[in-house]
Amino acid sequence: MKSILAIFCVVFSLLPMSAQSPKLQSTLEIYDITDGSRTIVLQEEAHFEAPNWSRDGSYLLINRQGLLFKVDLESRQIRLIDTDFADRLNNDHGISPDGKQLVISHHDSTVQPGSRNSRIYVLPVAGGSPKVVTSLTPSYWHGWSPDGQTLAYVGMRDGEYDIYTISVEGGEETKLTDAPGLDDGPDYSPDGKYIYYNSMASGKMELWRMKADGSEKKQLTNDAFSNWFPHPSPDGKYLVYIAYLEDQGSAHPPMKAVALKLYDLEAQSSKILCAFTGGQGTINVPSWSPDGKKFAFVSYRALP
């Protein structure tokens, strides 16, 4: 979400529906990779985004109008999660590997006005007062190391968006990428050995992999699509990611023709799972079920 258009998308996700145009319908869905079925969990004439699957498999998290909500998968009931002062959340949030903490990206106007003031915070999974992790802005969370000790995120420093890591306790950040152009969407492999991400390093948006220390960068995809947000399956065999059917440069705008694709890491090949209207907000953050058979995503439909 780091180009000029993408920064607009962050602001879009924080506006009340009355200020958004056009009006839309958001649909929270589950895709089953074993049989290709799609199940609707929640459908609203409202704008919500970016599901995470709980570690016990019982609920999904979504963000809506700057706040975080829990969607119970059995009852389909929605409950607001207390994030205290953090009421301008974007769609970069997640759950710790042990299921005890949440990580959020909150726009902190006290450190910088405008839209480039996202900082990363952690708080108890049940809600509470967030503790700031990153002092520098903007910083957008995307991955949590399997041992729970390190966060991977995207930050703009000196006009360039690159991938960084930092201790969950805060401190000094480590820069992992430095190629010209946008690097985004870092997510750890289940064994913690690699970080998967999307990058403009080749001249267009493709999926990449690097070791967790930033070494041995390797391009994975090379096709006609704009490929974003690779999320490794819990067994480490696949990546699910979103592909724009038309090249979007370094942007990932909303309300575009997109497909969710599955990349087989052993075969080094991709296949389309489903196509719909989406983009920004669809699958920005990790959303695999704990058993690795399903993942959650959001599709959209413009309303008159």
Side-chain angles (χ1 to χ4, degrees):
M1 74 176 86
K2 317 314 183 283
S3 65
I4 294 175
L5 177 57
I7 290 170
F8 160 76
C9 296
V10 176
V11 178
F12 180 89
S13 70
L14 296 174
L15 293 174
M17 280 304 298
S18 60
Q20 294 177 14
S21 179
K23 293 183 178 179
L24 56 79
Q25 180 184 75
S26 303
T27 302
L28 176 60
E29 301 187 55
I30 290 174
Y31 187 95
D32 191 325
I33 66 170
T34 64
D35 60 13
S37 62
R38 291 166 62 174
T39 302
I40 293 176
V41 175
L42 176 68
Q43 193 169 69
E44 292 185 339
E45 292 186 10
H47 182 230
F48 59 75
E49 302 177 300
N52 304 122
W53 210 305
S54 68
R55 300 301 180 181
D56 65 3
S58 66
Y59 65 88
L60 298 171
L61 295 181
I62 56 172
N63 64 287
R64 181 175 62 185
Q65 295 183 326
L67 301 173
L68 198 62
F69 294 85
K70 177 179 179 178
V71 183
D72 187 273
L73 287 174
E74 182 175 352
S75 68
R76 300 295 202 262
Q77 291 185 340
I78 306 171
R79 181 176 67 83
L80 175 67
I81 294 177
D82 175 23
T83 54
D84 196 38
F85 62 84
D87 58 2
R88 288 175 53 82
L89 308 185
N90 56 55
N91 50 37
D92 300 324
H93 46 74
I95 303 172
S96 63
D98 64 7
K100 296 181 179 181
Q101 295 185 88
L102 297 176
V103 61
I104 57 174
S105 302
H106 163 64
H107 291 270
D108 186 352
S109 59
T110 67
V111 296
Q112 180 178 319
S115 62
R116 297 185 180 182
N117 52 20
S118 175
R119 295 207 289 178
I120 298 171
Y121 301 75
V122 294
L123 67 154
V125 72
S129 181
K131 172 187 173 184
V132 68
V133 177
T134 56
S135 59
L136 299 178
T137 62
S139 298
Y140 306 91
W141 175 85
H142 279 280
W144 207 316
S145 64
D147 64 6
Q149 300 302 306
T150 306
L151 304 179
Y153 58 100
V154 179
M156 187 185 75
R157 312 288 183 256
D158 300 320
E160 283 284 341
Y161 282 101
D162 288 296
I163 293 172
Y164 295 82
T165 57
I166 195 171
S167 166
V168 71
E169 300 298 329
E172 186 175 351
E173 63 183 17
T174 299
K175 186 177 182 180
L176 299 186
T177 63
D178 57 8
L182 175 65
D183 301 311
D184 204 341
D187 196 1
Y188 283 90
S189 62
D191 61 8
K193 183 178 179 180
Y194 296 107
I195 290 176
Y196 294 94
Y197 64 107
N198 52 279
S199 174
M200 288 291 291
S202 67
K204 63 184 301 293
M205 193 60 75
E206 301 289 358
L207 303 187
W208 288 68
R209 183 185 75 183
M210 60 183 165
K211 284 194 172 180
D213 63 2
S215 63
E216 299 186 20
K217 295 176 175 65
K218 178 183 178 181
Q219 184 176 339
L220 300 181
T221 59
N222 183 21
D223 54 37
F225 306 108
S226 286
N227 300 312
W228 284 79
F229 301 132
H231 301 302
S233 59
D235 60 10
K237 294 181 179 180
Y238 305 104
L239 304 174
V240 66
Y241 66 98
I242 187 168
Y244 286 89
L245 302 188
E246 294 184 358
D247 187 11
Q248 302 295 322
S250 62
H252 64 298
M255 304 303 290
K256 296 292 184 179
V258 298
L260 289 176
K261 302 184 74 174
L262 194 70
Y263 184 90
D264 187 313
L265 286 163
E266 182 177 359
Q268 299 182 36
S269 62
S270 297
K271 66 177 181 180
I272 292 178
L273 300 177
C274 56
F276 50 89
T277 298
Q280 168 74 307
T282 288
I283 193 167
N284 295 56
V285 288
S287 64
W288 282 94
S289 63
D291 63 9
K293 296 179 180 179
K294 304 173 183 179
F295 62 84
F297 68 99
V298 180
S299 59
Y300 298 98
R301 183 170 69 90
L303 298 175

